[in-house]
Amino acid sequence: MAPENRKPAADPQMPGAREPAADRKASTPRRGAADPVKALMHRHRKLCERAVDSLEIAAGLEAHGITDRTAARFRHRDVFSLAEEMYARVSRDGDTPLSAPPVTPRVRAGWALMTLLPGVLCAVAVTAVHLTQGQSRLLAAAAGALAVALALRAALRRGPLSRTDADRPGPRPGAARGRTTPWTVWLVAYSLLGNGLLDNALAGGPDGLPTGTADGPWPLTAAPVLALALACAPAAWTAHLFTVRTRRRLGGSRGLEDFAAAVRPLLLGTFALFLGALAGLLTLCTAVLDEPPALAQALALGSLLFLARLLTTHGFTYAPAVVLTAAAMVEAAALATVFASRLPGLGSLATPVETLVATWDAGSVPALACGAAALTLLVHATRKLTRASAHAPPEPAP
């Protein structure tokens, strides 16, 4: 080809000139591979913007299903290391400065005194019932029950036994709403009147209403209820201890498995500490009121209520609602079968309950029902409360 017929080479400096394919490939960055942490930060932008420290980001990532193995794909050894980089980059690139890290929860006089109120009012109510008779005793029992219920409601709205999970990051697995109040009332009422009603039903009664005393035709056992009301304070203190220690372990852990292994014995120790306090209170109440001991029944019910509340305070409300409902239905079914066995042709319905009561006593029914339910919640708690996302600090109030 003649020189005058050849086309001039494209000048890379001229507008409209095409770049060589190799140059185009080198100048185009790879999609998503240059900065994977930045892509993760964009995906969890709200979590990173409102986090007050790296621990909150780590808990949020764990709640979204990111594990230590997933963090390795972002060139980090664990979720905590990944969260530290994300927190540092947000504080560097964010438009607004972040708040100071939250401090460890402290003991406040308000909730400490509030947890003592249910036990004090219950002791006053029991004393009033023992000192009155007739209609006055009925009025004293009704007023005392209302006062204890209001005091317990106030105690559960503040302090370590209150719900503090509303502002925590990430989805809450198993945090579906569940109503536990009706079943809790039933379980406590059964510990007060259920054993006497069951004994009377198996004997062909009851022939009248309860008189409010332990030696009446329908005996009333007030010692377990009084011990449970007094145990509201130890429950709050042990829950506070569990929260403080888990926050410290969260700050010192370097992996999700490491944190779970450290929290599991702490949870079991907290549970055992509460059981010891409840057993001491039950022994004292039984001696003061001169009632027959019901240690197994009261410990099983106290364990069930404590574990249900501990899970609820950390946002896991579905399992406590289901388990409390199941325990209450077992107790109700035991009473229903005894009364239904009086119908023609249904006499065999009461055989299991009669055998159980004859082998042990009437308190074995709630002891087995609440004990099995408490064991179920304990296994569930060792899975849920050992996660980092269950102990993320709440967002401070504006």
Side-chain angles (χ1 to χ4, degrees):
M1 184 179 294
E4 60 272 9
N5 294 332
R6 287 185 298 181
K7 294 182 179 181
D11 188 357
Q13 303 298 329
M14 295 177 58
R18 295 185 178 181
E19 298 178 359
D23 295 339
R24 291 201 310 268
K25 185 176 181 180
S27 62
T28 304
R30 290 179 297 172
R31 297 175 58 186
D35 193 354
V37 178
K38 185 176 182 180
L40 185 65
M41 292 174 61
H42 180 73
R43 192 183 312 162
H44 302 283
R45 180 174 55 85
K46 293 183 178 180
L47 170 64
C48 296
E49 287 178 351
R50 74 175 189 175
V52 296
D53 60 358
S54 60
L55 299 180
E56 187 171 346
I57 296 179
L61 293 177
E62 193 264 350
H64 283 89
I66 297 178
T67 62
D68 293 338
R69 181 176 299 179
T70 309
R73 291 186 291 181
F74 296 93
R75 306 185 185 97
H76 283 274
R77 63 182 181 275
D78 51 43
V79 174
F80 289 86
S81 176
L82 176 61
E84 288 174 356
E85 179 183 347
M86 294 173 66
Y87 177 74
R89 295 178 64 170
V90 169
S91 62
R92 181 191 63 203
D93 300 332
D95 296 332
T96 57
L98 297 175
S99 306
V103 296
T104 303
R106 297 180 179 178
V107 177
R108 298 185 181 276
W111 66 257
L113 295 177
M114 197 69 69
T115 56
L116 296 173
L117 193 58
V120 173
L121 292 178
C122 188
V124 173
V126 170
T127 303
V129 168
H130 279 75
L131 295 179
T132 55
Q133 294 181 354
Q135 188 176 3
S136 300
R137 175 176 291 172
L138 180 61
L139 293 176
L146 180 60
V148 172
L150 293 177
L152 185 60
R153 178 185 177 89
L156 296 180
R157 287 180 174 271
R158 301 179 61 183
L161 298 179
S162 63
R163 290 287 301 273
T164 58
D165 63 287
D167 297 324
R168 287 176 182 164
R172 309 291 301 167
R177 292 183 60 85
R179 297 184 61 85
T180 60
T181 302
W183 310 115
T184 302
V185 172
W186 168 269
L187 293 172
V188 174
Y190 190 95
S191 67
L192 185 67
L193 300 168
N195 293 341
L197 176 60
L198 184 59
D199 282 331
N200 274 269
L202 291 174
D207 299 326
L209 295 176
T211 61
T213 60
D215 54 354
W218 186 346
L220 180 145
T221 53
V225 178
L226 179 57
L228 289 174
L230 293 172
C232 183
W237 282 97
T238 51
H240 173 75
L241 177 63
F242 180 68
T243 301
V244 172
R245 298 297 297 272
T246 50
R247 294 277 178 86
R248 293 177 181 174
R249 296 293 175 88
L250 186 62
S253 299
R254 298 311 310 169
L256 300 179
E257 290 81 4
D258 181 27
F259 176 76
V263 171
R264 191 172 292 110
L266 180 60
L267 172 63
L268 297 178
T270 301
F271 178 65
L273 184 62
F274 171 76
L275 283 186
L278 178 59
L281 290 172
L282 182 63
T283 303
L284 177 63
C285 294
T286 302
V288 171
L289 297 178
D290 194 18
E291 293 183 0
L295 188 62
Q297 174 186 350
L299 289 180
L301 178 56
S303 303
L304 176 60
L305 296 180
F306 176 73
L307 290 171
R309 192 61 199 177
L310 196 62
L311 284 166
T312 301
T313 57
H314 291 84
F316 303 102
T317 60
Y318 180 74
V322 172
V323 173
L324 286 174
T325 302
M329 294 302 294
V330 169
E331 293 181 349
L335 290 173
T337 54
V338 172
F339 285 106
S341 65
R342 299 177 182 180
L343 298 176
L346 300 179
S348 60
L349 287 179
T351 302
V353 178
E354 290 177 350
T355 303
L356 194 61
V357 173
T359 304
W360 290 291
D361 55 9
S364 59
V365 174
L368 291 177
C370 296
L375 183 60
T376 302
L377 279 189
L378 181 60
V379 174
H380 184 71
T382 56
R383 294 178 57 250
K384 296 296 184 180
L385 297 184
T386 55
R387 296 179 176 180
S389 56
H391 306 282
E395 185 177 0

